[in-house]
Amino acid sequence: MTEITLNDSAIHCGKGAFEKYAPRLTDRQLFIVTDKNVFGLYRHLLWQTFGGSVAIKILPAGETSKTQRYLFEILEEMAEAGMERGCRVIAFGGGVVGDIAGLAAALYMRGVHLVQIPTTLLAQVDSSVGGKTAIDFKRVKNLIGTFYQPEEVIVDPMFLKTLPKREIRCGLGEIIKYGALNKEIYEKLLKNSDKLNNFDFLEEISADCIRHKAEIVSGDERDLYGLRKTLNLGHTTGHAFELYYGRKSHGEFVLIGTYYEMYIARAIGLGGGAYYDNLISLIKTVIKNIPAYENIENAVNFAMHDKKNTGKKISVIVPVSEGVCTEILLEPDEYSALLIECRDMLL
Ligand code: NAD
Ligand code: GLY
């Protein structure tokens, strides 16, 4: 088991983490938030661990639940269940559950205890750690949210056994992103590129990614100084493609975005060489064929609304060399022309 601390949060990672730490959570009044799929798979484990009469809110699965409606349903049910100031919200599920349950915990009685128990690979390596909570609003992702740190995060790889392959690929997207940010993770991924679907390896590399994220977040918890922004490597273009083209998972889009952004970096004289070839081969272990999108210039409109942007320029975080990344700011026309160039090269 690996123990990581992020300010006042304790992050327990590894096999057996749930069995060891979850039963200790019953020392407070509990309110569990989960989704329909996760509840279907783990309801007996939840009842066995927290008791058959524990208060549970079961959301429909997927991003469409990260809304005002479900946030207020959670708050309403917490009030109806008589949750008091000392209560604890447990977010048991993927990033959707983690984000909305975290926001509910931050709002209820101006803030109650929160524990994240992530059950997807993406939530384990990224979203459950660092305290970002949110709902989508007015068709903008994560428009309403807070920074609200969980007191504990319980990361147990046993939950990955029931995860569909697509969701594993989604988490791998974020893991490879950490490889582009951190030299040790990069080297470990290269050395073990044939083990990306091996659960023991995923357990080890997840702890490395969480350690990296915890370090970054402790230096820039509120995303104010440019350090936390680096965690969005690959996300400007990835997110724009996700919004415009859809159909793949978020993590796959992060990898596709990273590929296009590395092309941009190389075109303006940053990065390249064996380092880039290696990163591309890692990306291609998850995404065999990088899509050559039609009408790619239309995705630029989505990139123009990225929260990282400064003025009218598009912000892109790119890897430069092992463990080093930088932010580049591009005029929309320049960004669009470079995306088209990269796409044409893929045809
Ligand atoms: P998700 O929560 O929708 O989960 C993906 C799917 O997997 C769902 O259908 C869910 O029911 C299912 N699932 C969950 N655990 C399972 C298990 N153990 N076995 C089988 N099925 C399981 O999506 P996600 O990819 O986990 O998270 C995406 C969300 O995370 C987005 O809303 C994104 O904005 C957010 N996010 C937040 C942060 C942050 O820092 N707060 C960072 C990255 C992403
Ligand atoms: N996932 C980006 C962040 O937590 O800042």
Side-chain angles (χ1 to χ4, degrees):
M1 189 107 53
T2 308
E3 298 290 344
I4 298 168
T5 341
L6 164 50
N7 300 338
D8 293 330
S9 293
I11 308 166
H12 319 290
C13 320
K15 265 188 228 73
F18 182 86
E19 198 182 353
K20 178 166 178 193
Y21 291 103
R24 302 182 189 183
L25 302 176
T26 52
D27 62 341
R28 290 183 181 276
Q29 225 187 350
L30 294 180
F31 191 92
I32 298 175
V33 182
T34 188
D35 77 24
K36 200 162 177 274
N37 294 340
V38 179
F39 185 70
L41 289 162
Y42 295 106
R43 60 179 181 279
H44 295 295
L45 180 71
L46 290 176
W47 288 331
Q48 192 186 314
T49 311
F50 303 115
S53 57
V54 67
I56 305 188
K57 172 67 180 172
I58 304 161
L59 302 169
E63 187 71 24
T64 48
S65 292
K66 243 176 78 172
T67 57
Q68 181 185 10
R69 170 184 160 188
Y70 289 107
L71 173 69
F72 279 87
E73 280 190 14
I74 295 170
L75 294 170
E76 200 174 313
E77 290 181 30
M78 285 178 72
E80 281 166 6
M83 291 294 131
E84 294 169 358
R85 250 200 83 62
C87 77
R88 176 182 284 131
V89 169
I90 297 180
F92 184 75
V96 165
V97 164
D99 278 11
I100 192 170
L103 184 53
L107 293 174
Y108 190 76
M109 294 193 178
R110 302 196 183 92
V112 296
H113 296 267
L114 168 69
V115 170
Q116 293 277 356
I117 307 184
T119 61
T120 62
L121 186 58
L122 176 132
Q124 297 199 343
V125 296
D126 199 351
S127 64
S128 64
V129 173
K132 280 190 179 175
T133 76
I135 53 167
D136 305 331
F137 189 65
K138 299 272 177 205
R139 307 176 79 191
V140 181
K141 234 176 109 84
N142 301 328
L143 191 67
I144 296 179
T146 55
F147 291 94
Y148 195 69
Q149 295 296 342
E151 55 185 345
E152 279 179 72
V153 186
I154 300 175
V155 180
D156 195 317
M158 80 165 163
F159 297 115
L160 304 182
K161 289 187 188 141
T162 53
L163 207 57
K165 279 214 162 59
R166 174 192 160 95
E167 299 304 333
I168 295 281
R169 279 204 302 279
C170 181
L172 284 173
E174 297 289 348
I175 289 175
I176 293 173
K177 171 196 83 177
Y178 284 107
L181 293 171
N182 179 297
K183 190 169 187 288
E184 284 76 40
I185 297 176
Y186 164 76
E187 283 166 356
K188 201 178 268 190
L189 285 171
L190 271 191
K191 220 165 109 192
N192 297 282
S193 60
D194 56 335
K195 293 197 189 135
L196 295 187
N197 287 300
N198 170 311
F199 286 146
D200 288 332
F201 179 69
L202 288 179
E203 177 178 345
E204 180 184 334
I205 202 80
S206 294
D208 296 332
C209 295
I210 293 168
R211 207 177 288 110
H212 178 89
K213 180 161 185 182
E215 227 164 82
I216 297 290
V217 172
S218 62
D220 184 13
E221 189 171 348
R222 293 192 164 245
D223 223 344
L224 293 174
Y225 311 118
L227 187 60
R228 189 161 183 171
K229 221 183 196 183
T230 61
L231 297 174
N232 285 311
L233 186 143
H235 282 63
T236 304
T237 306
H239 200 212
F241 288 174
E242 186 176 357
L243 290 170
Y244 187 61
Y245 298 106
R247 286 202 299 275
K248 289 189 187 297
S249 71
H250 170 77
E252 290 172 299
F253 277 116
V254 168
L255 291 179
I256 296 166
T258 305
Y259 182 93
Y260 274 83
E261 291 178 359
M262 282 166 61
Y263 178 91
I264 292 175
R266 202 171 352 208
I268 64 169
L270 291 166
Y275 173 59
Y276 265 34
D277 293 343
N278 288 338
L279 275 183
I280 288 171
S281 70
L282 279 174
I283 290 173
K284 288 195 169 172
T285 56
V286 182
I287 311 277
K288 292 214 165 28
N289 298 307
I290 305 294
Y293 288 117
E294 277 179 22
N295 306 319
I296 204 162
E297 56 285 356
N298 292 345
V300 175
N301 290 329
F302 291 100
M304 281 171 69
H305 293 109
D306 194 279
K307 288 200 276 295
K308 295 187 295 305
N309 294 347
T310 307
K312 291 209 162 62
K313 292 201 172 181
I314 295 174
S315 160
V316 175
I317 311 286
V318 288
V320 177
S321 58
E322 285 97 326
V324 180
C325 66
T326 192
E327 178 180 23
I328 50 182
L329 293 169
L330 297 157
E331 295 292 348
D333 286 352
E334 187 187 5
Y335 174 69
S336 171
L338 288 165
L339 287 184
I340 291 170
E341 247 182 67
C342 180
R343 188 272 318 275
D344 290 350
M345 186 208 63
L346 287 164
L347 286 171

